[in-house]
Structures are given as structure tokens and as C-alpha cells.
Amino acid sequence: MMTPRARGFTLIELLVVIAIIALLIGLLTPALRGARESARTAVCLANQRSMFAAWTMYAGDFRDFSMPLASWSVDERGDRPPLYWWGEADPSSGQVKREEGYLTRYMSAVGGARSALECPAEPWGGYRPQAGVNAPTTTYGYNGYFLSPARTPGWADSIRHRPWQRTSDLSRPDSLLVFADTLLPASRRVLWRSTSLLDPPKLWSGGVWVDNRSPTTRFRHNGGYSDQSVRGSVATQRADGSGAALESRSEWIPENIPGFGSVGLGNGPWYVPDWESWRDRTGG
């Protein structure tokens, strides 16, 4: 007796199956991409939450004074390298001692790439280290401009007359940013650098507020990683202990540096809550 021969797929049937698989992949890809972005945002917020816990512990050891952003003067450091909240950086060798930082001495596992100091949405290799360093440091910024004015490199000379903030006396802690996603923008992405400063949208200069032409707040989540994107969100940690990813608005992002900007158009309440009451050294 002859047995029937097994029937295989025809070309048409095979093409139909391939088309169905391609359709399913097309439907699932956005969902998978969205899940990946959500996971990165969740990890970033968790990183900043652990940083906030360390920041709180520092204040508990130093009479409620906020952590300094950095120390670099000879009077403070002698012949030792500059000390930042994320570690010590030797400008001659470029080496980093992360365990020496004002914040990192209260944390564990802060070494190198993919540590709690690096946002997973912008990993090491996609940006350059800050000047004088040849290793990853952090892709988060600290609001030293308001919290420790005299210890904020770059701006200390113009704002050192402002008071050093105590964590117990902060106004609007539910809005005030302590940490957030940052990066130092440039005209070309290859020149982007890490920065540990979270700068406000307006800077104090000559007794008046002027627009910050190089804001460091980085809207890198939820589509904001591309250097062509004008949308995205920034992970933030506030002084009351709450964290949130804030979606950008078109008016917050300068046209010449997509993906960078500031939360809001003014300094308050996110960056410098009392900015409208500032006066210069002479009281003018």
C-alpha cells in the first residue's frame, strides 16, 4: 500500500507566516522600547534616591548644612587635588578616587561605569569626561548653586555672599531640586561632557540675573536621548525626598541645544526658590 506523502508549506503560506511574524514584531517593538525606557527611568530615579539618602546622612553629621559641591582652593585642600561630591580628581594624572567624595563616602558601589552615579539612559562612552579627568564620574548634577554657593566651582566668585543652606530650613522642599540628570552641552555631540553641576536657567552676574546660555539639565529619558530630539524627560530628586521624571516643554529647550534646558523659565521654585530677593554684596 502507498502511504500519503507529507504535505509541506507552499511559498504563499510561508510568505503569509513571515508577514504575520513581521506584523507582530512591528506591534511589539514600540511596547518593548517603552518598557525599556521605563526601566531606565526607574533605575535612574532609584540611583538618585540613594544619592539623596547619602546627602541626608551628610547633613546629619554636619549640623544640617547641605553638602558642598566641591573644594578646590589651596586654603582648603593644600597640595591635594580638588575634591567633588562624587570623589577626588587629580588633574595631573586624571585619576579619580570616588570613595573620597563628600557624598560617595556615604555610599557603596560607586566605582566606574554603570554605577549608582551614572544614568542608564546615557552610559559611559556616549559623552566625554569632565575636564582634567580620564574616567567616568557622574551624569548627575547637584544644586550647589543654591545649596552651597561658596563651594560651587565656576560661580563661587559671584555668589559666595549667599548663605549656605541648612536642610532643615529649606523653603519649598517639595519643588527644590537637589539632584537631576545633567550633561554639559556643546555644538557637537562628540564634545558633550559630564558635569556635576545642576545650573539654574538664570545666573547671578554683576548684581543682576542673566540668561544661562549653556544649561546643564538633560532631558534624556523617554525619547530625549537623541541629539535631534526636542522632547524627553529629566529624572529629578527633590529636597523633600520625592523623585519624579519631568517631561520637557518646548519653551524650556533652547533651539541650539536640543535635549538640554531647564525645568521652567525662571529660577524658582525648582533651582533657586528665593531668587527674586537676591541682592549684591553692597545690598543694592
Side-chain angles (χ1 to χ4, degrees), residues 64-226:
D64 278 348
F65 280 101
S66 297
M67 171 188 72
L69 194 151
S71 296
W72 63 92
S73 71
V74 175
D75 291 341
E76 297 166 347
R77 299 291 294 162
D79 59 356
R80 293 174 296 174
L83 180 65
Y84 298 86
W85 62 264
W86 46 260
E88 182 183 272
D90 188 342
S92 60
S93 66
Q95 297 301 310
V96 174
K97 294 181 179 179
R98 298 175 185 85
E99 68 280 2
E100 298 292 333
Y102 288 115
L103 187 78
T104 50
R105 65 187 64 171
Y106 292 91
M107 301 175 67
S108 60
V110 292
R114 298 185 181 180
S115 74
L117 300 185
E118 182 177 84
C119 174
E122 198 143 35
W124 175 247
Y127 60 91
R128 299 176 68 187
Q130 72 179 65
V133 180
N134 60 8
T137 54
T138 183
T139 49
Y140 298 125
Y142 172 55
N143 188 4
Y145 198 95
F146 175 69
L147 295 169
S148 61
R151 295 290 187 87
T152 299
W155 313 126
D157 287 344
S158 59
I159 63 175
R160 66 172 64 252
H161 66 290
R162 297 301 303 171
W164 199 314
Q165 299 293 326
R166 290 178 180 264
T167 59
S168 54
D169 297 333
L170 296 175
S171 61
R172 300 293 303 273
D174 58 332
S175 300
L176 176 65
L177 302 181
V178 179
F179 298 102
D181 290 320
T182 58
L183 210 62
L184 190 63
S187 57
R188 292 181 298 167
R189 179 176 173 180
V190 69
L191 298 179
W192 291 353
R193 289 187 179 276
S194 59
T195 177
S196 53
L197 284 72
L198 177 62
D199 295 337
K202 295 183 181 298
L203 302 170
W204 186 254
S205 177
V208 296
W209 290 105
V210 298
D211 289 338
N212 184 355
R213 298 184 179 277
S214 186
T216 58
T217 303
R218 178 76 168 108
F219 293 87
R220 61 169 62 106
H221 293 279
N222 301 317
Y225 182 81
S226 169

Side-chain angles (χ1 to χ4, degrees), residues 8-72:
F9 286 109
T10 66
L11 179 60
I12 297 298
E13 290 171 331
L14 182 60
L15 292 176
V16 169
V17 171
I18 293 174
I20 292 173
I21 293 174
L23 177 62
L24 292 174
I25 292 175
L27 293 174
L28 290 174
T29 297
L32 293 175
R33 186 181 299 115
R36 182 178 62 181
E37 289 292 334
S38 297
R40 286 174 172 172
T41 303
V43 171
C44 186
L45 290 170
N47 287 346
Q48 294 189 33
R49 193 176 302 117
S50 66
M51 292 162 58
F52 177 81
W55 179 75
T56 303
M57 287 188 283
Y58 177 96
D61 286 345
F62 292 91
R63 297 180 297 148
D64 278 348
F65 280 101
S66 297
M67 171 188 72
L69 194 151
S71 296
W72 63 92

